[in-house]
Amino acid sequence: MTAAPTAPTLTPPQARSRTPHEGRTASLLLSPTFLVLALVILYPLLSAFYQSLFSARSGLDEQGFVVEQDSFVGLGNYLDIIAGSGSGRFYNALWNTTFFTFVSVALETAIGVAFAVAMNRAFRGRGLLRAAILVPWAIPTAVSGLLWRWVFQTNGIANALSGAHVLWTAEGFASQVAVITAEVWKTAPFIGLLVLAGMQIIPEEVYEAAKLDGANAWKQFWSITLPMVRPALLVAVLFRLLDALRMFDLPFVLVGPRKSSAEPLSILAWDSSNQLQYGTASAFSIILLGYVAVMAYVFIKLLGADVVGSGEERTRRRARRAAGKGARQ
């Protein structure tokens, strides 16, 4: 008997790998983006690192006049920052940066999730509530700093409501409370907005089934809402973490520079640049960049924030590419 002919195996469109021509076309189309990124990110970064290897020196020329020139010091600026006579100010700024970041982001996460739960419920006036919650996020940070500076004045609203006489914008723990309060007020709606977007895609049938099983609102939140919005929440927290580590304008406007209790690394770099110590300022900037990169890496590794796409989707893409290669062979 003659064996029945087998039907040809059709490769699905998703399994077809890109041809070299398609790869070259994609690279050509993306080249303007890469060029812009190189101009606005890579070149300034390399220039800042190069500048950090030099230090301004003053001396006398052959005629006895004072001259300013940059001399190569290698890693001398970094060593002076870490172990020099002014290292105490650096470690204080590093602590302030870390303290502001973790406290403000933790409060923003809790308040933002609460905002998202409130905005996701169906009730009369929900649109007005959403608009009111998002208003602080739309205000520029410098304007927000000025608003809160008026609130925290000696004769401002904060002291009038509390009945105390606190110098909120001077040195001390009160200035840190003022900065954290203003930061949380402004950026908690950002986390709430992203979490709300994640909650919108949760099927309503899931909650109806949970209600039939006797789950109350708190149980539904912990067992359904929070696990299903976890990817969006982690990405939102990661973005806020990176932004808070680079905090500059809010403490600068609200409290001011050269306040040790509210001076983060970014203001320290600005102050060095303002003193024409460009090598030291560049070194501060590179250290801050490294610190931000390390914190982002640790956050992604520990909590698994997926910022480039689902891991399962990447696995499926690899499987499709392997299947396409096997079909061609």
Side-chain angles (χ1 to χ4, degrees):
M1 296 178 62
T2 305
T6 58
T9 302
L10 298 179
T11 303
Q14 296 83 359
R16 185 177 64 85
S17 61
R18 291 192 300 267
T19 63
H21 177 71
E22 291 176 334
R24 288 192 297 268
T25 303
S27 300
L28 182 61
L29 294 176
L30 292 175
S31 57
T33 303
F34 292 149
L35 180 60
V36 172
L37 291 178
L39 290 176
V40 301
I41 296 179
L42 184 60
Y43 174 74
L45 177 61
L46 296 178
S47 179
F49 179 73
Y50 178 78
Q51 183 67 39
S52 69
L53 304 179
F54 291 83
S55 179
R57 304 290 183 182
S58 60
L60 300 177
D61 59 7
E62 297 178 354
Q63 287 77 27
F65 293 100
V66 177
V67 294
E68 298 283 346
Q69 59 181 358
D70 290 338
S71 58
F72 181 78
V73 294
L75 300 179
N77 289 325
Y78 297 94
L79 295 178
D80 290 339
I81 290 173
I82 296 174
S85 58
S87 60
R89 189 182 178 190
F90 163 71
Y91 289 112
N92 176 73
L94 182 63
W95 161 251
N96 289 337
T97 301
T98 307
F99 177 73
F100 287 150
T101 298
F102 283 94
V103 174
S104 62
V105 171
L107 293 175
E108 290 163 12
T109 302
I111 297 174
V113 172
F115 282 167
V117 173
M119 290 186 292
N120 192 49
R121 294 183 177 274
F123 59 91
R124 181 177 297 178
R126 181 175 62 175
L128 180 61
L129 175 64
R130 291 182 177 182
I133 288 177
L134 294 178
V135 165
W137 174 248
I139 298 177
T141 306
V143 177
S144 176
L146 288 175
L147 291 175
W148 282 98
R149 187 177 180 87
W150 295 333
V151 171
F152 287 121
Q153 284 180 343
T154 306
N155 57 348
I157 300 175
N159 285 340
L161 293 177
S162 62
H165 187 77
V166 180
L167 300 178
W168 294 98
T169 58
E171 291 283 5
F173 181 71
S175 63
Q176 296 178 339
V177 173
V179 172
I180 292 174
T181 302
E183 178 74 5
V184 171
W185 175 82
K186 174 174 174 52
T187 54
F190 171 76
I191 294 182
L193 182 63
L194 293 188
V195 173
L196 176 63
M199 295 177 64
Q200 294 291 313
I201 63 176
I202 301 177
E204 188 64 28
E205 293 79 7
V206 178
Y207 292 104
E208 294 177 357
K211 291 178 183 179
L212 294 177
D213 291 338
N216 54 24
W218 188 250
K219 187 69 174 179
Q220 294 176 32
F221 173 77
W222 281 105
S223 302
I224 300 175
T225 305
L226 202 57
M228 298 191 73
V229 301
R230 181 178 179 271
L233 178 61
L234 289 181
V235 172
V237 172
L238 176 61
F239 286 168
R240 279 300 309 135
L241 183 72
L242 301 182
D243 197 29
L245 287 171
R246 299 178 288 106
M247 183 189 303
F248 171 81
D249 40 6
L250 183 61
F252 185 87
V253 175
L254 179 58
V255 180
R258 291 186 171 273
K259 299 289 183 65
S260 60
S261 58
E263 183 179 56
L265 284 174
S266 56
I267 291 184
L268 197 58
W270 170 88
D271 188 60
S272 298
S273 176
N274 197 43
Q275 301 297 324
L276 303 182
Q277 300 173 358
Y278 299 116
T280 304
S282 299
F284 277 127
S285 302
I286 296 299
I287 291 175
L288 178 58
L289 173 65
Y291 185 48
V292 171
V294 169
M295 295 300 295
Y297 179 81
V298 171
F299 182 87
I300 293 173
K301 285 299 182 182
L302 290 182
L303 297 180
D306 193 1
V307 295
V308 296
S310 172
E312 296 181 358
E313 179 62 26
R314 291 197 299 271
T315 302
R316 287 194 294 267
R317 287 198 297 266
R318 295 192 190 99
R320 288 196 295 264
R321 285 197 296 266
K325 293 179 180 178
R328 290 195 305 271
Q329 292 175 356

